[in-house]
Amino acid sequence: MKKTTCILCGQPLEKKELIAFEGMPASAQDIPDEQEVDKDQGVTLRLHQCQSCGLVQFDCEPVGYYRDVIRSGGYSTTMADLRTSQYRHLIDTYHLEGKKFLEVGCGRGEFMKTLTGFPVEAYGVEHRQELVEIAVKDGLKVVEGFTEDTCTILGDNGPYDVFLSFNFLEHQPEPGVMLQCIRNNLTEHGMGLITVPSLEYILKYNGYYELLRDHIAYYTFDTLRQLLETNGFQVLEEEMVNRDTLSVIVRKIPEPLGIGEAFGRGNITPLDISGLSASYRDICRQMEKLCTSLEKGGKSMAIWGASHQGFTLAATTILKNHARYIIDSAPFKQGKYAPASHLPIVSPDHYKDDPTDVLLIVAPGYTEEIAACIRTRFGTDVKILTLRSDKVEELS
């Protein structure tokens, strides 16, 4: 079903989309296994911009698991280091020692484990029962739940002093309901730390492969601020982290701003997506040139990164016919198949038994970490390439 109204301000969306992409993965987390792969197929995604508030969004329904947090970034030292830095800044700057923190959508508690190293009380709420059970077995204080409506009580330990939300808001078909629910579970001057993928980053580097159905909304600092103010939060700090992510620190305010106050700040500038279209064509040409060259030289290639970027790149370019497999360190992805392209997903150990001449890293934010892992585990003979923004580069 197509959505016809904006998920931020509720106004009608333009009937004509900004751009449409065909053959895209239907999801980034419902990864087909051997029994499901024959039924899996790509989808067409249509991107719109609301002419009332400016939010960029897909017109599709959310993925079926939008309430769940399934992340592989917790396996990365890059992400662990980032969370440590964010926690330290938040706690030290706003004197939050001893306060009660709630991570909304905590998955299996990957980031909560880092938080427990600080002098705060750490709690989490997660919708998927099996992830809650894993977190509890690891000794974390996690309960099953979700922000179903504005009156939902999140856990048994509220009200909370601080909430955390990491790359979860962009999945939500009703982000205002989620924020109002969280607000109602906070103390009078409760605070929050929120991250979402950056539309600015996507447009700056014309990374069409950053778009995926799981993320139905694409926020800028402006549209994220409008959403937060409309739902009762003041933005205290804004920064870009890990090159591609918006991070904001907020504080609860007595009353949400009205729709007019939040959105009446001037005319909406139409989004220029010509770069995305040009980048898509150029990346397809680069991949075709790369694969043709390897084939002529009798060389083989694999992809490292069963990320949404890797899935999209494989599905929409010639890579689906030339790459041998996709390597990923997350155990829950291994043994399955990439959506739409159907490339097998394997563990890093698989490379020892079935080596390739070239490894193409498609995991923005983790490129150097993965490259170091490749050199350490597999030596220097393998050629390492990466997609850096919209160009294929060789790593020395």
Side-chain angles (χ1 to χ4, degrees), residues 107-157:
R108 64 186 68 193
E110 298 94 330
F111 300 150
M112 283 185 64
K113 291 177 183 176
T114 303
L115 182 60
T116 57
F118 290 85
V120 301
E121 296 181 41
Y123 302 94
V125 59
E126 167 58 43
H127 177 261
R128 182 172 288 200
Q129 182 180 5
E130 62 190 81
L131 298 180
V132 174
E133 292 172 355
I134 293 171
V136 171
K137 286 181 181 178
D138 286 342
L140 300 172
K141 299 174 183 177
V142 176
V143 297
E144 187 176 345
F146 180 72
T147 56
E148 293 291 354
D149 57 52
T150 59
C151 298
T152 299
I153 297 174
L154 302 176
D156 301 322
N157 296 284

Side-chain angles (χ1 to χ4, degrees), residues 185-248:
N185 280 269
L186 293 179
T187 54
E188 182 179 359
H189 300 293
M191 299 188 65
L193 170 62
I194 304 167
T195 67
V196 294
S198 166
L199 177 62
E200 287 101 333
Y201 172 84
I202 294 173
L203 295 179
K204 180 177 181 180
Y205 297 105
N206 295 317
Y208 85 93
Y209 48 86
E210 295 285 355
L211 303 171
L212 75 160
R213 185 187 167 197
D214 296 48
H215 298 176
I216 58 175
Y218 291 85
Y219 293 97
T220 63
F221 279 124
D222 285 342
T223 53
L224 181 58
R225 192 183 313 112
Q226 289 179 89
L227 173 66
L228 291 163
E229 291 177 350
T230 303
N231 290 284
F233 292 97
Q234 176 190 7
V235 176
L236 303 179
E237 295 186 33
E238 300 176 340
E239 67 170 332
M240 189 82 74
V241 298
N242 209 28
R243 296 180 65 239
D244 60 0
T245 302
L246 309 182
S247 178
V248 298

Side-chain angles (χ1 to χ4, degrees), residues 17 22 88 120 136 173 201 206 226 230 260 268-269 286 288 333 349-350 358:
E17 70 269 7
E22 297 180 354
R88 182 176 295 113
V120 301
V136 171
Y201 172 84
N206 295 317
Q226 289 179 89
T230 303
I268 300 302
T269 302
Q286 289 184 65
E288 186 169 356
K333 296 182 180 182
D349 288 338
H350 180 89
V358 175

